[in-house]
Amino acid sequence: MKEINSTRRRTLLKGTAAATAVSVVGCASPLTTSSRPRVVVVGGGWGGLGAVRALATGGKVDITLIEPNDDFMSCPLSILYIAGYAQSSDFQRSYGAVDALGVRRVKDRVVDIDRAGRTVKTATQSIPYDFLVLSTGLEYMEEALPGYAAARDQFPVGFRAFEQAAVQRQVAAFVEQGGNFVITVPKPPYRCPPAPYERACMIAQRMKEKGTKGKLIVVDANKHPMPPPLAKPMQTAMREMYGSQIEYITEADPKSIDAGRKVLSTSKGDIPFSHANIILPMRAPGLIRKAGLGERFAAVELPSFQSKADKSIFIIGDSGARRCRRAATSPSAPASRSASRSSRPSPASTRKPDWATRSPLPAAICWGKVSTSLAIMINVTSSISIGDPPSIKFQVDQAANAASSKGAMDWGKNIWNAMLG
Ligand SMILES: Cc1cc2nc3c(=O)[nH]c(=O)nc-3n(C[C@H](O)[C@H](O)[C@H](O)COP(=O)(O)OP(=O)(O)OC[C@H]3O[C@@H](n4cnc5c(N)ncnc54)[C@H](O)[C@@H]3O)c2cc1C
């Protein structure tokens, strides 16, 4: 399993890069007079890095990467840090490898997109583009839970890079002091559906080891663990491994949170807590919605990931394509599709693509670690026929196992090295 996973990761990453590059370069030639079109990539996370790698191959475009953080930090596998089994630095990499590709890196945050002027704006500068690749991830829908916004610092979600430290502090305090630790799970779509259950299991392992007196209460808005094919193995792991630590409440919609009294009100009653990891519903960042590129998520053509509103913009990763899986390999999305037709790249199309058969969409592997030595692998493949919604297939381990736990770590190291090694 390890070898398959490692190889598959590398293939996907290459695909990602190639995809974006082929799409953008294919689009660029007929639309620009410059021999080296200016491509601006916003976001140096999983999707943005895949795009940069792909675009840099062949040296046909001038690339600018805009990212506010000094380093990359992975969300996948960072539960090991949150639960106290690793250092945060184990999940961080420098952007030095991107710099070495000749990419111009701007350490800044984009605050506005001027589509008419083909310019992105930060607080201090305007950067022109011929093609724009947006991979800005997600934002939390704080208004979905009355009482949350005023107390956000107390209840970090921790589903974006570098937010893990705040959750880790909550977990460390709980493991030491005991009490009730509440984890909420929203209805999909949200980033990496197995992640809340993984978080519960790994914190429960820590409780067992440290003899923490208390409960870990998982308040799930869903009927069972998500995605549905994960329900049985994940519920079995939670029950059989952590029956004394985890209380699992299903179909409980959070209604409001009272930070002063430390009470979460839900459709199944009030739940008092001492510590909490409130995982909110998610959507594309305001930047994308403000630019008219979509509502809750960016509206893109599949499989090209080209904006429906603007042919010079590609939106990849978790901001886009509502019906694609939200996982780290998905950001590479345009890559695998474009790569598969790289022998006949089409120009920026205002017309429908001319392929008739099903086209593969980016695949993903999610890992649900249930202990330091066991994990459940969720392998997701999807494809699309033009005019139809994507069809998605899952292949899920029927039980947590050691091979997938090792596979997860190998996968992480391989993909981080491929992106930034
Ligand atoms: C706990 C957890 C576990 C996960 N496990 C897995 C797994 O096992 N397998 C898997 O495939 N996926 C997993 N995922 C999902 C994976 O992390 C995401 O799918 C992936 O990060 C999406 O990539 P992205 O580029 O869309 O966003 P991100 O990786 O979040 O990158 C977005 C980047 O954009 C930058 N940015 C945001 N706004 C701006 C702006 N205005 N200007 C400039 N830059 C900006 C941010 O700083 C960030 O660096 C997991 C996620 C979580 C939270």
Side-chain angles (χ1 to χ4, degrees), residues 81-84 153-154 156 162-177 181 275-276:
Y81 159 59
I82 289 172
D153 292 346
Q154 275 173 262
F162 293 101
E163 293 176 4
Q164 292 98 330
V167 184
Q168 186 271 337
R169 284 194 293 273
Q170 293 266 343
V171 172
F174 166 66
V175 167
E176 192 65 30
Q177 299 158 7
F181 192 116
H275 306 82

Side-chain angles (χ1 to χ4, degrees), residues 9 42-48 66-69 72 75-79 95 108-111 135-138 158-161 191-192 195 198-199 285 287 316-319 326-331 364-368 411:
R9 289 293 101 187
V42 183
W46 288 83
I66 309 177
E67 162 63 49
N69 290 313
F72 165 84
C75 283
L77 300 172
S78 64
I79 182 56
Y95 282 119
D108 214 336
R109 175 170 290 278
V110 172
V111 292
S135 192
T136 48
L138 290 163
F159 267 49
R160 293 182 301 212
R191 171 173 275 185
C192 194
E198 169 184 83
R199 212 167 260 190
L287 177 73
I316 60 175
D318 287 352
S319 301
R326 280 172 216 298
T329 9
S330 299
I365 294 185
C366 280
W367 306 95
W411 170 84

